[in-house]
Amino acid sequence: MSTRARRMRATLPRALRSQLLRLSRSPIAAVHAACGTAAGAACGAYFACAPWDPSLGADAYAQLLGAMMPLMAGIVCGLAVDEERAAGGLANLTGAPSRARAVLALYGALVLMGAATLALAFGLFAAILAAAGALAVGAGAIALSWAGCVLGSLPLYALALALSLRFGRNVAIGAGAAGLALAFLSVGGLAHGLMTGELTGAHGAGALGALPFCWAARLGSLGIEGAIAASGTAEAVAVRAAGALTGTAAALASLACATALPIWFRHFENGETHG
């Protein structure tokens, strides 16, 4: 291992910790907390009383959270880059001893905050349903659904961060809004499975299934649907196959993004096109 690589490994955790401390004191932390709490409390209270199948309700909720992640990534990455610009024209990133380390630290901090928000949203939802005696899937399925949403979100944060840096907040949010619509289409529409009784996450999404915007919704859904589908049935086989295919695509894309983002940012020139 080269001296440069050893230095990168030694200081990246420190840069990540610094970014987390900075972001925790900014409005971005409040946005994450408010979104996670609102989603978990509102949907938990609704599905605790609604006459829907509780297991399909959990599936619909996982799809909702996953589908929201493109927009969530666009908003928080746009806000984070705006804060960096306001603090000194991105000097904290472009003027760092290692640009690669700086942008990876920001990316990692935003991903961790997103993962914590999803954990809050899933945990509060499950706690409310459990208190009402309406939780039809186990903690393992909830945890797997959370992990799927996080994995599917990794490429989204890299894309949103690059768009925010290059074109500004509005472009990143616009792309996220389009991604939200595509994610819902990939599972048949908002609450389609809840109304039809189908395991829509396991169904083929066609060309939409290849779009990173759709992966968080589909992987989050598959975590729940794996617990719903009876072992040995065609549905269970479809869930496993869809999970393996989409999970592998998301993992490879995440690795590619984590490699490409710092390489691109080394040559990034901070212009005036933002807003």
Side-chain angles (χ1 to χ4, degrees):
M1 182 182 296
S2 68
T3 302
R4 183 175 182 178
R6 285 195 296 270
R7 188 182 301 117
M8 183 76 170
R9 288 186 60 184
T11 56
L12 181 57
R14 185 177 299 172
L16 177 59
R17 184 166 58 251
S18 175
Q19 279 289 358
L20 285 170
L21 286 172
R22 291 174 59 197
L23 290 173
S24 68
R25 301 188 184 102
S26 77
I28 295 174
V31 169
H32 281 91
C35 289
T37 301
C43 293
Y46 173 75
F47 283 110
C49 304
W52 302 106
D53 181 316
S55 59
L56 291 174
D59 188 25
Y61 179 66
Q63 291 179 1
L64 171 65
L65 289 185
M68 289 296 298
M69 291 312 294
L71 181 57
M72 183 73 172
I75 291 172
V76 299
C77 288
L79 290 175
V81 171
D82 276 1
E83 286 192 357
E84 291 288 350
R85 284 196 170 100
L90 298 183
N92 289 328
L93 298 175
T94 59
S98 169
R99 282 187 169 200
R101 184 171 63 241
V103 77
L104 277 177
L106 179 58
Y107 168 67
L110 291 169
V111 164
L112 288 174
M113 293 183 77
T117 301
L118 285 169
L120 173 62
F122 272 112
L124 188 55
F125 173 82
I128 292 173
L129 261 64
L135 185 61
V137 296
I142 296 291
L144 189 59
S145 183
W146 167 82
C149 282
V150 172
L151 175 59
S153 299
L154 296 181
L156 301 178
Y157 278 92
L159 174 62
L161 185 54
L163 288 175
S164 299
L165 287 165
R166 179 62 184 85
F167 299 108
R169 176 191 66 245
N170 292 338
V171 171
I173 294 175
L180 180 152
L182 292 171
F184 276 131
L185 287 174
S186 77
V187 290
L190 177 61
H192 176 72
L194 184 64
M195 298 177 188
T196 63
E198 300 174 354
L199 299 186
T200 52
H203 291 179
L208 291 177
L211 298 178
F213 291 123
C214 306
W215 293 342
R218 294 184 61 76
L219 287 171
S221 176
L222 290 167
I224 300 295
E225 292 182 2
I228 297 174
S231 178
T233 63
E235 283 187 333
V237 173
V239 168
R240 287 196 298 271
L245 179 61
T246 309
T248 299
L252 291 175
S254 301
L255 180 61
C257 287
T259 302
L261 181 64
I263 293 174
W264 168 76
F265 193 66
R266 287 194 191 107
H267 307 285
F268 171 77
E269 294 295 335
N270 183 29
E272 297 298 323
T273 304
H274 58 83

